Amino acid sequence: MRWHGDPNWLIDDPEHRWMLSGEADRLRSFFAQPSGWKRYGWRGFDGSVDAERPLELYSAARLVHCFGIARMLGDEQAGGWAAEGVRLLLSVFIDPRGGFLDIVAPDGSPVSGRRNAYGHAFALLAGATAVQAGLPRGAELLGRAREAIDELFWDDDAGAAVDEVDPQGLPVSDYRGQNANMHLTEAFLACFELTGEAEFLKRARRLAERFVITGAAPRGWRVPEHYTREWEVDEEYGREQPLDQFRPFGVMPGHALEWSRLILGIAAHDPSFVRADEAARGLFTRAVQDGWDEDNGGVRYTTDFHGAVVGSARMHWVIAEALAASVWLARTTGDSGYADWYRRFWDWTNRHVIDRVGGSWWHELDADNRPASRTWPGKPDLYHAYQAVLSARLLRPAGFAAAAHHDL
């Protein structure tokens, strides 16, 4: 396998493509056991499921999305897992008072009465994928998720979604954030690619304009994470929790990379988005300038608004988004510099992130590239790594389900 120092090792190298296909299979196999709803539980480092830990909406919906894509790529076993997950979302997670429960205990009872836009964004994405994959009750899942977002979360005046609501759709805190809205952007694009409904594309662009063009561009393409109730940037939020899983203090280079990919996806459908190329390039450049460790490799977790490192851990989802963004930029711009970054990212991932003994990818490394678990214990996530290994197979910016259906 050619990994180091080979100038001919490019995104479309046949040997690399062969490796990516095998890695996709290996990642899915980590979730082969156990059967039933336990498959959707939190996994430890060895792949075993923590039977005492509650099930979470975002995590279960991500797996449905990934397994649905796998079915479209010919894995019927994964298709069975996806169908199993759709049933789970439409039974245990459905709340008759509205929307989906965010967290349920192992016995299926609710853990919290709040509704979170983050989890609902992934339920919508899972629904769009389920329909494209031809899964039973996929349309029902999509409809339920769409209805919940429209009725509980979407603020059309703001052009964004609130983060947390009660079952009646009333906000339960003054916090507003970009993370859930970024994932809603991905889900809206998937729904547009499925249905052709202009409203989905319109919402995706409105979100990009709010959080990237208005929020990040004036700050040198550093993406503000946290906002007040009036949608003003809150640069102090999270100072006491700098390594939080979802709301850490400061700026997250990984989200700039994720937005870079999403911006290109919007522009692929909306040529009038004239600042898309500038934004995608600016976000990527800022992320690697602030986040990439020239000595040890890897993209750091968080910085402040001046680029100083706050959290030096390396999260697997960040390098996964770096891989995807570099592919999409290389394809859309023709700039070989992005292919060079892709090589560099994969070289580091191959050396440090892929766990060839225990399976899957290490979800967190420390600044010296050693496995850690301060923020992310275990290996519960397939979504980021799986999409990363599929990225090089995409010939144009598109949602992964749409690409699996038409191009891959």
Side-chain angles (χ1 to χ4, degrees):
M1 189 67 66
R2 294 176 291 170
W3 285 102
H4 311 301
D6 183 349
N8 296 316
W9 185 75
L10 300 172
I11 294 170
D12 292 321
D13 181 87
E15 190 174 354
H16 179 59
R17 299 287 289 271
W18 175 82
M19 181 281 297
L20 292 175
S21 180
E23 185 61 15
D25 293 341
R26 198 187 70 89
L27 285 165
R28 289 198 309 277
S29 71
F30 192 72
F31 294 84
Q33 299 296 331
S35 60
W37 292 351
K38 291 182 179 180
R39 189 188 318 280
Y40 288 82
W42 191 277
R43 291 178 186 268
F45 291 120
D46 62 355
S48 61
V49 173
D50 184 348
E52 302 300 316
R53 185 160 179 154
L55 300 176
E56 298 189 62
L57 174 62
Y58 83 90
S59 181
R62 281 177 173 181
L63 285 174
V64 170
H65 167 65
C66 293
F67 295 153
I69 292 172
R71 182 177 193 251
M72 287 187 278
L73 295 176
D75 187 338
E76 290 301 325
Q77 182 182 46
W81 304 344
E84 185 178 73
V86 171
R87 292 194 297 272
L88 172 67
L89 294 176
L90 288 173
S91 55
V92 172
F93 280 98
I94 282 289
D95 189 329
R97 296 174 299 174
F100 296 81
L101 299 168
D102 287 323
I103 307 174
V104 297
D107 65 2
S109 60
V111 172
S112 170
R114 293 187 175 188
R115 308 289 180 272
N116 195 295
Y118 187 86
H120 281 74
F122 284 107
L124 184 65
L125 180 65
T129 300
V131 172
Q132 293 185 79
L135 298 177
R137 302 182 72 186
E140 181 182 354
L141 175 60
L142 177 62
R144 290 265 197 163
R146 180 179 185 176
E147 179 182 15
I149 288 167
D150 285 348
E151 294 185 357
L152 299 178
F153 298 101
W154 185 253
D155 180 349
D156 199 57
D157 291 336
V162 299
D163 278 70
E164 298 173 306
V165 300
D166 65 16
Q168 287 71 48
L170 298 176
V172 296
S173 76
D174 290 338
Y175 177 84
R176 304 290 183 267
Q178 80 84 29
N179 193 0
N181 281 288
M182 179 185 67
H183 286 293
L184 267 177
T185 303
E186 181 178 35
F188 287 152
L189 280 173
C191 289
F192 173 74
E193 289 172 337
L194 170 67
T195 68
E197 292 183 35
E199 177 63 20
F200 288 121
L201 183 59
K202 177 183 176 182
R203 288 188 183 186
R205 177 163 171 175
R206 290 183 73 187
L207 290 169
E209 288 174 337
R210 169 175 285 282
F211 295 106
V212 176
I213 304 303
T214 300
R219 295 171 173 82
W221 299 110
R222 294 185 179 102
V223 181
E225 291 290 323
H226 312 300
Y227 290 78
T228 67
R229 182 175 184 174
E230 290 74 31
W231 291 102
E232 297 174 349
V233 174
D234 185 352
E235 293 190 4
E236 292 301 308
Y237 186 94
R239 189 174 285 278
E240 303 304 317
Q241 48 190 26
L243 296 178
D244 189 81
Q245 286 183 349
F246 300 108
R247 297 182 185 179
F249 170 73
V251 177
M252 304 172 76
H255 282 166
L257 294 163
E258 201 159 354
W259 268 117
S260 181
R261 169 174 66 84
L262 293 171
I263 288 281
L264 293 173
I266 296 168
H269 299 296
D270 184 357
S272 71
F273 195 1
V274 294
R275 295 195 67 184
D277 181 76
E278 173 198 3
R281 289 174 181 264
L283 290 163
F284 184 94
T285 298
R286 173 56 63 195
V288 296
Q289 284 179 346
D290 287 355
W292 180 254
D293 186 335
E294 289 290 349
D295 296 324
N296 292 329
V299 181
R300 302 175 180 96
Y301 185 43
T302 53
T303 74
D304 66 16
F305 277 86
H306 303 287
V309 176
V310 175
S312 59
R314 289 85 160 101
M315 307 301 179
H316 92 290
W317 70 264
V318 176
I319 201 65
E321 291 299 334
L323 288 163
S326 57
V327 167
W328 287 32
L329 281 162
R331 295 249 191 253
T332 56
T333 69
D335 185 338
S336 63
Y338 295 113
D340 292 340
W341 271 110
Y342 180 77
R343 264 198 304 275
R344 191 181 303 187
F345 294 148
W346 255 118
D347 181 71
W348 182 80
T349 300
N350 177 59
R351 289 174 182 265
H352 301 293
V353 182
I354 297 174
D355 181 1
R356 293 185 174 82
V357 177
S360 188
W361 290 11
W362 295 111
H363 278 29
E364 180 179 352
L365 303 175
D366 66 17
D368 295 315
N369 296 323
R370 297 171 301 197
S373 58
R374 183 174 179 180
T375 299
W376 280 104
K379 299 173 181 171
D381 183 43
L382 174 63
Y383 162 80
H384 283 102
Y386 191 58
Q387 292 196 157
V389 301
L390 294 180
S391 293
R393 298 171 63 177
L394 272 64
L395 300 180
R396 59 185 177 85
F400 290 89
H405 190 68
H406 297 291
D407 299 333
L408 296 182

